[in-house]
Amino acid sequence: MIRKLPAVLGVGVLGLGLAACSDTPPPASDREPIGVDYSEGEPAADSSEEWTLGTTDAITSVDPAGAYDIGSWNLQYQMFQQLMTVPANGSEPEPDAAECAYDDPKTITCTLQDGLMFANGNELTSSDVKYSLERNIAINDPNGSAILLGSIMDDPASPNPKLAPGAVETPNDTTVVFNLSKPDTTFLKVLSTATASIVDEQVYPANKELADTDEHSGSGPYMLTQYKEGQQAVFELNESYGGPHPGIAPRVFVSFHKDDTSLTSAVKTGEVDVAWRSMSPTQQKALADDDIAVLKGQGSEFRYWVWDMNNGAGTDDAVRQAVAQVIDRDQIATNAYDGTVEPAYSIVPPGFGGQKDSFAEEYGDPDADAAEKILSDAGVETPVALKLGYPQEHYGPNAVDEATEIAEQLNATDLFDVTAEAGEWEQYQTDYKKSAYDLFMLGWYPDFLDADNYLSPFVVDGGFFANGYSNPEVNELVDAELGETDEGTRDETIGQIQDIVAQDVPLIPTWNGANVAAVGDGVGGVQDTLDPTYVFRFWMITKS
């Protein structure tokens, strides 16, 4: 990490004390914005040499049942097929392992492509599809993505959910029929995500995950042939692949870097051919100034802060609303990200149907006096002690700046007494679910391109982060928009949900970001995969 801070920062360190330390950066608000000149990149070639991707993304699990993070999912997208896939710069699923279509809002029928094989030579049948989904639900890893499969669970709220009886039928080896528990117009898109990755039922245990170093076998365009945690993953072409996007490069290396300084240095030396994500604006500018192409694609990254509503200060409506009244998103974008991100005033990013800036409508401009009145009217004594949590490295060095900026803003009102604590990513995911923080930072890259992907995982019964929020009206509205086939009516319902969330404040949106990569000489096709899905499609990249 370019700006390492101590693991635990107190109020003084985040405020005036931070500026007093000679070996720490100046407060975020003292920094000068910079500009980055972005390139357009080269097209892909017909043939390719081996190439190397560099990333700072941590890998939670290679097994599809064990992860719900962008780093893990991007490895899985190379190794495993899903029934459907979203093409680069597209928004609607197209056939991958199967062709699927709604029979009605509660029923989807899929027909598998002929001759599908796993890389180990085993045949891929409808039984493997059902097994993969049933296994994901049964394992229900707390860091996994089984939550996306709620429409085929027996009881999504149960700590031990199962595949609902009759939810997935396999009348023959090539047909899969999904009988959803409720109308769900997004489930076809769920089937295009890594949570629906198809695993070999003869290899993957039903009730536990394979270790990352075990032999994995999928039916995707590439095979994982070597994995060393925190160091390197090696992928080779899967000659048995029978889907719509075969790879070109014979081998792809993934090099894992601890921070963006190491990553950008590796691009400069040619150690990696593509550096993807988590590069600070300063590092992006340095690369561009060094004549290395920095590419910027359309993005839908979402950064937000979640209240713990199970315990502590976050259980008080007035405290949550007062913080929402104070947060200055323009200053966060400018001071912590040098203007390379856009302030977010809704949990749904711009461009999605039904999006509205509900937080701007509810709170207007940042106003400490209004926040003081909210707290006073509710009888809340000030200053309110708050503990902020953020992952030290997972979201790059600017996450530290963001935490610093927010702490400065809140402390400046004298209404709050803020401490901030950094955590290592895997432990952080466990800690925030155990009420280690009052307010904690998370980022989101969409599973699929639909406004609901910014609603259901966040606001239904505590969301995937289990923050304790529950509003029956919100739950009913989410069910309504999921089942609604009229676009206008659905958009109106999605707007209602955003308004209620702005009033209840179970989380606070801060910004939306772009999809960025730095590319070495001779590498083509990168610009085409930098789309809002954040799927980095190895099969589209070439090096000559």
Side-chain angles (χ1 to χ4, degrees):
M1 172 174 275
I2 188 169
R3 288 185 284 269
K4 279 192 174 180
L5 296 180
V8 179
L9 301 179
V11 177
V13 174
L14 280 167
L16 296 176
L18 183 62
C21 298
S22 60
D23 59 347
T24 56
S29 55
D30 286 354
R31 297 178 196 166
E32 292 292 331
I34 63 173
V36 181
D37 292 327
Y38 293 102
S39 301
E40 294 185 355
E42 300 178 14
D46 294 332
S47 60
S48 178
E49 303 173 3
E50 301 173 348
W51 59 275
T52 300
L53 172 72
T55 180
T56 59
D57 286 332
I59 305 302
T60 303
S61 176
V62 173
D63 190 313
Y68 195 9
D69 58 88
I70 189 169
S72 302
W73 273 30
N74 263 291
L75 297 192
Q76 293 164 15
Y77 279 123
Q78 322 308 326
M79 304 160 53
F80 301 99
Q81 277 185 290
Q82 296 77 40
L83 293 173
M84 301 287 280
T85 186
V86 175
N89 296 297
S91 59
E92 297 300 321
E94 296 182 355
D96 189 344
E99 185 166 356
C100 304
Y102 279 98
D103 301 322
D104 59 60
K106 290 182 64 176
T107 311
I108 296 172
T109 297
C110 299
T111 302
L112 292 175
Q113 312 290 352
D114 292 332
L116 292 176
M117 305 282 289
F118 291 104
N120 61 9
N122 291 341
E123 186 179 3
L124 189 161
T125 71
S126 59
S127 178
D128 293 296
V129 176
K130 180 180 180 180
Y131 178 84
S132 301
L133 298 169
E134 186 170 23
R135 171 179 182 268
N136 195 339
I137 293 170
I139 290 175
N140 196 31
D141 190 310
N143 292 328
S145 57
I147 186 174
L148 292 174
L149 302 173
S151 289
I152 55 173
M153 289 181 183
D154 61 348
D155 181 5
S158 168
N160 300 299
K162 304 295 181 187
L163 181 69
V168 180
E169 297 177 307
T170 54
N172 55 53
D173 282 351
T174 59
T175 303
V176 185
V177 179
F178 295 91
N179 299 302
L180 310 182
S181 60
K182 58 186 178 183
D184 185 350
T185 57
T186 70
F187 199 76
L188 197 59
K189 294 179 178 178
V190 172
L191 295 178
S192 73
T193 70
T195 198
S197 294
I198 305 167
V199 301
D200 185 348
E201 62 182 321
Q202 298 183 51
V203 174
Y204 288 78
N207 56 3
K208 68 176 184 179
E209 297 157 20
L210 282 187
D212 293 340
T213 51
D214 287 342
E215 184 173 343
H216 290 259
S217 183
S219 61
Y222 282 91
M223 304 179 295
L224 178 66
T225 57
Q226 184 185 110
Y227 181 83
K228 292 183 179 178
E229 183 181 359
Q231 299 181 40
Q232 180 176 263
V234 181
F235 290 85
E236 297 184 13
L237 269 179
N238 175 12
E239 301 294 346
S240 301
Y241 176 66
H245 41 240
I248 302 174
R251 192 156 55 166
V252 179
F253 300 88
V254 179
S255 175
F256 300 106
H257 293 259
K258 186 174 178 60
D259 53 53
D260 75 333
T261 300
S262 167
L263 178 59
T264 52
S265 174
V267 180
K268 290 181 178 179
T269 62
E271 178 186 339
V272 305
D273 297 297
V274 183
W276 184 48
R277 295 192 344 93
S278 300
M279 290 175 288
S280 71
T282 301
Q283 295 288 3
Q284 292 177 37
K285 186 174 190 307
L287 288 168
D289 290 346
D290 221 16
D291 292 329
I292 292 174
V294 181
L295 315 184
K296 181 179 182 181
Q298 188 179 356
S300 51
E301 181 181 1
F302 171 46
R303 184 63 52 79
Y304 58 101
W305 290 75
V306 182
W307 283 104
D308 177 19
M309 297 175 63
N310 298 299
N311 296 286
T315 60
D316 193 315
D317 293 352
V319 171
R320 301 194 307 275
Q321 291 164 349
V323 169
Q325 184 65 71
V326 169
I327 294 294
D328 189 333
R329 296 166 178 79
D330 286 327
Q331 292 300 307
I332 293 171
T334 299
N335 296 334
Y337 295 93
D338 297 306
T340 57
V341 301
E342 295 294 327
Y345 296 93
S346 171
I347 59 175
V348 178
F352 288 96
Q355 191 276 345
K356 59 185 299 190
D357 289 340
S358 297
F359 274 81
E361 294 179 10
E362 182 70 23
Y363 299 99
D365 293 333
D367 188 334
D369 291 338
E372 183 175 19
K373 185 176 187 307
I374 291 172
L375 294 171
S376 177
D377 289 349
V380 177
E381 293 186 7
T382 59
V384 179
L386 292 178
K387 184 177 179 182
L388 308 187
Y390 62 97
Q392 189 163 2
E393 297 175 341
H394 188 69
Y395 297 128
N398 294 84
V400 182
D401 295 343
E402 180 173 344
T404 303
E405 175 68 29
I406 288 178
E408 288 178 353
Q409 291 181 9
L410 295 175
N411 285 332
T413 67
D414 294 326
L415 299 173
F416 303 98
D417 181 4
V418 179
T419 60
E421 183 173 313
E424 185 275 330
W425 176 239
E426 288 199 34
Q427 185 61 42
Y428 179 76
Q429 295 176 84
T430 299
D431 289 347
Y432 72 64
K433 290 171 184 167
K434 292 182 177 179
S435 299
Y437 317 106
D438 296 304
L439 187 62
F440 52 93
M441 174 193 289
L442 286 176
W444 184 258
Y445 306 89
D447 308 311
F448 52 85
L449 300 180
D450 190 284
D452 178 73
N453 197 229
Y454 295 84
L455 298 174
S456 290
F458 294 80
V459 298
V460 175
D461 293 330
F464 75 91
F465 31 65
N467 76 328
Y469 174 66
S470 183
N471 183 327
E473 183 180 5
V474 167
N475 292 353
E476 291 177 7
L477 288 170
V478 168
D479 282 344
E481 60 89 2
L482 278 170
E484 182 57 62
T485 56
D486 180 83
E487 185 176 344
T489 301
R490 184 169 187 248
D491 288 353
E492 185 176 340
T493 304
I494 288 171
Q496 289 179 264
I497 297 168
Q498 292 165 85
D499 287 344
I500 296 173
V501 169
Q503 294 160 8
D504 290 350
V505 202
L507 63 153
I508 298 176
T510 52
W511 56 265
N512 299 121
N515 198 349
V516 175
V519 180
D521 290 341
V523 179
V526 175
Q527 183 72 66
D528 291 334
T529 194
L530 297 181
D531 69 2
T533 65
Y534 285 87
V535 177
F536 198 88
R537 302 167 178 86
F538 288 6
W539 54 89
M540 295 180 66
I541 313 303
T542 60
K543 180 183 178 184
S544 58

